[in-house]
Amino acid sequence: MGNLFCSEYRIHRRFDLKGSSYGRSADKPEEEIDETTTLKDMDLNFVFRIQRNRFQELVKQIDQDCEFLEAERIMDYSLLVGLHFRDDNRGDKMGLSPFLLRTGKDGSYQNEKLMRGCRFLEAELQDMDRILAGQKPLIRLGANMPARAVRMARRSDFDQYTHGGAGHSSYNGEVCEVVLYFGIIDILQDYDISKKIEHAYKSLQADPTSISAVDPKHYSKRFRDFIGRIFISDRMPIAASVGGNANGSNS
């Protein structure tokens, strides 16, 4: 966790996500949750929209990692996600705008979408300049990744991620600009006899598909399905109009 969140940005919220629901809550009242609280699947109330090419890179990497872990009979791993909410008071090292909050009550949607597209494009161009200069890129998969966090209508509604997909769920209209840090952690647990016993015992108390201790193949599929619902491809028409083709494939 310390290595993943080693950043100049302050991590405001952190989530440990497995794609399961049984016992997957921090069990803390809202007023006691702070930046040091590790939240879990049932506490998640965001869907993350990331730029299309980075979304494709994420899906490909998650698939490769899960295939490897499944082949090694590993399960019970998590995706650790850290969120930095952008605000007006902190310096911007990536050329992106400050924190934005949209209520959907005004008519500025098109202008706002245009501005967001410009900011993502600006960050991409800055990254390209650094790469050409032989420097480390500012934005990488799982580090310094700009995104839009769309707040879900109801907190702790795990079903919105697992039945029908987050893309079909209702939002409360709030959109926050964030910087994401994430990576797969806890990759040393194999599906041994203790985990098989845990699965059998918890299956008597809850839906077997909702518990964390399941066989590696089922775990891998459930994990990938869950990640594919909380991360969504964000299309940016402005990028296509500046440097892409007519169908927006570079957006």
Side-chain angles (χ1 to χ4, degrees):
M1 185 181 292
N3 288 335
L4 277 175
F5 294 161
C6 184
S7 164
E8 295 180 0
Y9 288 105
R10 186 175 175 180
I11 303 299
H12 296 116
R13 282 291 181 270
R14 58 190 68 203
F15 294 90
D16 180 292
L17 305 173
K18 294 179 181 290
S20 57
S21 58
Y22 182 71
R24 297 296 298 160
S25 173
D27 290 327
K28 276 190 174 185
E30 191 76 37
E31 60 273 13
E32 293 183 13
I33 294 175
D34 58 23
E35 298 173 7
T36 65
T37 305
T38 300
L39 301 170
K40 300 180 182 179
D41 302 67
M42 295 292 286
D43 305 306
L44 183 64
N45 58 330
F46 292 105
V47 168
F48 305 109
R49 306 191 73 97
I50 59 178
Q51 204 170 6
R52 186 175 179 182
N53 64 324
R54 299 195 182 281
F55 172 78
Q56 293 169 340
E57 184 183 5
L58 168 63
V59 171
K60 180 180 179 181
Q61 188 63 58
I62 290 290
D63 283 344
Q64 290 176 346
D65 290 345
C66 287
E67 286 170 4
F68 169 76
L69 293 170
E70 180 183 334
E72 296 297 318
R73 301 289 294 165
I74 300 293
M75 42 76 68
D76 219 18
Y77 43 88
S78 305
L79 186 77
L80 185 66
V81 180
L83 279 67
H84 168 80
F85 294 97
R86 307 192 59 80
D87 61 39
D88 291 321
N89 300 319
R90 291 188 175 87
D92 188 345
K93 297 179 175 58
M94 292 194 298
L96 298 176
S97 80
F99 175 96
L100 262 183
L101 181 66
R102 171 174 143 71
T103 63
K105 296 178 181 178
D106 56 36
S108 62
Y109 178 74
Q110 290 300 328
N111 288 337
E112 183 176 308
K113 193 157 72 169
L114 182 71
M115 290 169 60
R116 283 184 177 139
C118 287
R119 286 191 293 272
F120 274 94
L121 182 61
E122 184 180 355
E124 292 290 338
L125 292 176
Q126 187 176 357
D127 249 15
M128 189 179 300
D129 289 341
R130 292 178 64 87
I131 293 171
L132 292 174
Q135 297 175 305
K136 188 177 182 180
L138 289 169
I139 304 172
R140 305 185 306 280
L141 183 63
N144 293 328
M145 287 188 63
R148 292 191 295 164
V150 184
R151 192 180 296 274
M152 305 304 292
R154 295 191 303 275
R155 190 171 184 270
S156 299
D157 187 359
F158 187 79
D159 283 348
Q160 64 196 354
Y161 299 107
T162 56
H163 298 105
H168 297 89
S169 302
S170 58
Y171 306 128
N172 71 358
E174 293 183 5
V175 179
C176 311
E177 287 196 5
V178 298
V179 180
L180 293 178
Y181 291 82
F182 56 82
I184 295 178
I185 62 169
D186 297 340
I187 58 170
L188 300 178
Q189 178 61 59
D190 60 357
Y191 194 52
D192 57 15
I193 187 63
S194 66
K195 284 297 178 181
K196 292 177 181 178
I197 293 173
E198 179 184 344
H199 173 80
Y201 174 72
K202 289 184 176 179
S203 294
L204 299 175
Q205 308 172 53
D207 180 355
T209 63
S210 71
I211 63 179
S212 177
V214 294
D215 72 87
K217 184 175 183 178
H218 181 191
Y219 195 97
S220 171
K221 182 181 185 306
R222 185 180 63 187
F223 183 83
R224 283 188 273 185
D225 287 346
F226 184 67
I227 298 306
R229 290 187 175 104
I230 63 173
F231 290 93
I232 299 174
S233 176
D234 201 359
R235 302 192 178 202
M236 295 289 176
I238 182 65
S241 67
V242 174
N245 56 30
N247 62 18
S249 63
N250 290 338
S251 61

